[in-house]
Structures are given as structure tokens and as C-alpha cells.
Amino acid sequence: MFPGFTIFDRFISSYSLCALVGIFTACPLSIHWYKKRGGSDISMINIYLFGAVGVFFGMHILFGITNIPHWHILTEAADFKDFIMKFATIFGGSVFYGGLLGGLLAGGISAKVQKLDIGLVTDCAAPALALFHCFGRIGCFLGGCCYGVESEHGVVFTNALIESVNGVPRVPVQLYEAAFELALFFTLWALLCKGVLKNRLLLVYLISYSVGRFILEFWRGDEYRGFIFGLSTSQIVSIIVFAVSVVLFIVKPKKAAESTR
């Protein structure tokens, strides 16, 4: 595919470009929706800035958790420099779920501190999350990461950044997930515009995404993601996210009804 290009001796990855396109497309849209409904654009920008910090730490921490069996190499470091290099190896990658949960936590704290309407904030952010992730998965496909299992009817990568991916027909699971996220974006956008399921669109996103991700994981071929009881780390997280989100989806309207009595 097209992993990236070099400008002034600096390599620019396709994934980074796609992620930036996703950010500068999805965030302004959600800010526009929030402002249109009476919110402050500055408040939403603050949420995204704090959320970005949560995304950064969350995605690396969860990646490190998937590498727990290799943590012992930290004790084998010859010196501080070697320790940093080994630490970067263990925590240097990223996992979307970690970024998502870290971003939601940091963004939620920011919204609380600013005393904003959490329901309105999350309703406007939910479609944006799906759109951003759509662009991100396109970047994964171009770069050859998050690749699928081998399949005679798959796509053959020739210059992926991960050498073992090249020359083997693989299921384009990245594009499947991108298409799923795009459909989820339009669905959530329509619900937002129609005012359906107010204050619960983020839960709709989490429920839908966790189901889709759980299924798509069976077509993933990158085995370094960590496995527990035959399920990948992301599948385990999907089960937890699904269960918690369903409970909150059911409980939330009841609490709202009780508060209006």
C-alpha cells in the first residue's frame, strides 16, 4: 500500500496523516453541533485538549498491559539508557481501546470541572469518535498495521512497515472496520439531528462498537495484541465495555425519570 513518504529526511506516515485528517474533520463537526445546541465552543475545545492527553497515556498503557509477559526485560536492563529503550519497546505501541477509555476519562473530568451538561457533550462527541476512527483505520490499511488473517481472496501488501505482512494475501479487516465506523457515524449523526436517545448516544456508540470490534477481532492477524482464554485483549475489553454500557443505557432513563418527580 502506501505507508508514507519522506520530506526533508523526515518520514511522514500515512497513518499520522489520516489521523490528523480525522481530528480536523471530526472535532470541528462536534464543536459545531455543540455550539448549535447552546454550548460554548471554547468549552468543547478544552474537553478535546484534555481528552488528547488521556488518549496519549491510555493507548500506551493498554499496549503495555498486553506486553505483561515481557515486563521481565525491564529488570535485565544494563543501565538507565537500556531501561528506557526496553520501556519504550513495551509501552511504545498503541491500542485504540486504551486511547478511547483514557480520552473519555480525561474529557469527562474536564466537562465536570467546567460544570457542563455531560449528556449534551457526549451526544455531540459520539458521532465524531466514529468518524475519527474511520480515518484512523484507513491509515492502518495504508500503513499495513492492524492487519488481517491470511486469505486467498485477501489484499496483498507489498511495502507495509511490518515486513512479515508483505507478500501474503490478507483480509482487509482495517477497511471493514473503517466502513463499520462510517456507518456508525451516519447513524449517530442522524440520531443527534432528530433528538433521538438524548444523553445516550455515547452509550449507543460504545455498545455498537464493542460488538463490531469483538466480531472483527476474529479476522485480525497481528498476534502481538495479547490473548486471554483464547480471546484478544480488545475482545476482553469489548465484553466489559458492552456490559457496562448496556447497564448504563438501561439505568440512565430511570434515573432521569426519578429526578423529575
XYZ file of all heavy atoms in Angstrom, residues 19 32 38 41 60 62 73 91 96 108 121 134 147 149 163 174 199 204 240 257:
157
model
N -4.875 10.242 10.655
C -5.322 10.613 11.998
C -5.545 12.114 12.099
O -6.528 12.569 12.701
C -4.298 10.153 13.033
N -19.222 22.254 16.331
C -20.329 22.938 15.654
C -21.675 22.464 16.188
O -22.566 23.278 16.477
C -20.235 22.691 14.152
C -21.464 23.089 13.394
N -21.819 24.417 13.194
C -22.447 22.334 12.803
C -22.952 24.462 12.505
N -23.349 23.231 12.261
N -26.421 25.412 21.908
C -26.300 26.339 23.029
C -25.028 26.241 23.834
O -24.854 26.962 24.815
N -18.056 26.848 22.286
C -17.018 26.170 21.516
C -15.717 26.060 22.308
O -15.000 25.059 22.221
C -16.787 26.887 20.185
C -16.527 28.386 20.349
O -16.694 28.894 21.476
O -16.168 29.020 19.351
N -1.061 3.947 25.261
C 0.241 3.347 25.554
C 0.176 2.424 26.774
O 0.841 1.380 26.804
C 1.284 4.435 25.764
C 1.647 5.173 24.510
N 2.149 4.553 23.390
C 1.550 6.495 24.184
C 2.360 5.446 22.436
N 1.997 6.630 22.890
N -2.440 0.638 27.833
C -3.077 -0.627 27.483
C -2.169 -1.481 26.611
O -2.149 -2.707 26.734
C -4.411 -0.378 26.771
C -5.262 -1.638 26.521
C -5.496 -2.392 27.822
C -6.602 -1.265 25.883
N 11.938 -8.024 31.052
C 13.137 -7.485 30.404
C 13.568 -6.158 31.032
O 14.722 -5.755 30.906
C 12.939 -7.298 28.881
C 11.920 -6.187 28.594
C 12.521 -8.599 28.222
C 11.832 -5.833 27.117
N 5.950 -0.198 26.046
C 4.843 0.763 26.070
C 4.780 1.655 24.825
O 3.937 2.553 24.757
C 4.950 1.662 27.310
C 4.663 0.962 28.599
C 5.712 0.379 29.328
C 3.376 0.864 29.094
C 5.455 -0.276 30.525
C 3.113 0.215 30.291
C 4.153 -0.356 31.004
N -6.236 1.143 20.449
C -7.333 2.107 20.329
C -8.197 2.149 21.579
O -8.557 3.232 22.055
C -8.211 1.770 19.125
C -9.455 2.625 19.054
C -9.386 3.941 18.625
C -10.688 2.133 19.454
C -10.516 4.750 18.580
C -11.828 2.928 19.412
C -11.744 4.233 18.977
N -14.160 13.589 30.335
C -15.241 13.628 31.312
C -14.883 14.472 32.526
O -15.716 15.233 33.038
N -22.700 17.061 25.858
C -21.312 16.948 25.395
C -21.080 15.597 24.730
O -20.537 15.518 23.619
C -20.330 17.133 26.571
C -18.914 16.734 26.158
C -20.333 18.575 27.054
N -12.766 6.024 11.785
C -12.860 5.621 10.384
C -11.593 6.031 9.638
O -10.968 5.217 8.940
C -14.101 6.244 9.734
S -14.197 5.999 7.951
N -3.271 -5.630 10.690
C -3.609 -6.408 9.500
C -4.478 -7.629 9.817
O -4.608 -8.047 10.964
C -2.335 -6.850 8.782
C -1.350 -7.574 9.677
C -1.430 -8.937 9.897
C -0.329 -6.855 10.325
C -0.514 -9.591 10.712
C 0.577 -7.499 11.145
C 0.486 -8.866 11.333
O 1.367 -9.505 12.156
N -6.030 -11.711 8.924
C -5.504 -13.071 8.770
C -5.272 -13.369 7.293
O -5.786 -12.684 6.403
C -6.479 -14.108 9.362
C -6.624 -13.921 10.858
C -7.843 -14.013 8.665
N 7.395 -6.120 7.976
C 7.878 -6.958 6.881
C 7.086 -8.254 6.703
O 6.829 -8.693 5.596
C 9.362 -7.296 7.103
C 10.307 -6.133 6.865
C 10.300 -5.661 5.423
O 10.054 -6.477 4.523
O 10.510 -4.452 5.211
N -8.933 -3.835 8.224
C -8.898 -2.393 8.530
C -10.000 -1.650 7.778
O -10.654 -0.760 8.332
C -7.534 -1.795 8.152
C -6.340 -2.555 8.689
C -5.726 -3.451 7.628
O -6.446 -4.111 6.888
N -4.410 -3.478 7.556
N -28.806 12.149 25.449
C -27.919 11.841 26.578
C -27.422 10.397 26.584
O -26.766 9.984 27.532
C -28.604 12.131 27.920
C -29.058 13.563 28.044
O -28.441 14.475 27.499
N -30.156 13.783 28.761
N -24.730 4.373 22.928
C -25.056 3.682 21.678
C -23.775 3.385 20.910
O -23.602 2.287 20.368
C -26.011 4.539 20.808
C -26.191 3.909 19.431
C -27.350 4.699 21.489
N -16.381 -6.152 28.454
C -16.564 -5.291 29.624
C -17.284 -4.005 29.243
O -18.232 -3.582 29.909
C -15.204 -4.971 30.276
C -14.541 -6.255 30.781
C -15.372 -3.970 31.411
C -13.110 -6.070 31.259
N -35.996 9.909 35.079
C -37.427 9.954 35.428
C -37.618 10.209 36.909
O -38.485 10.968 37.325
C -38.079 8.633 35.022
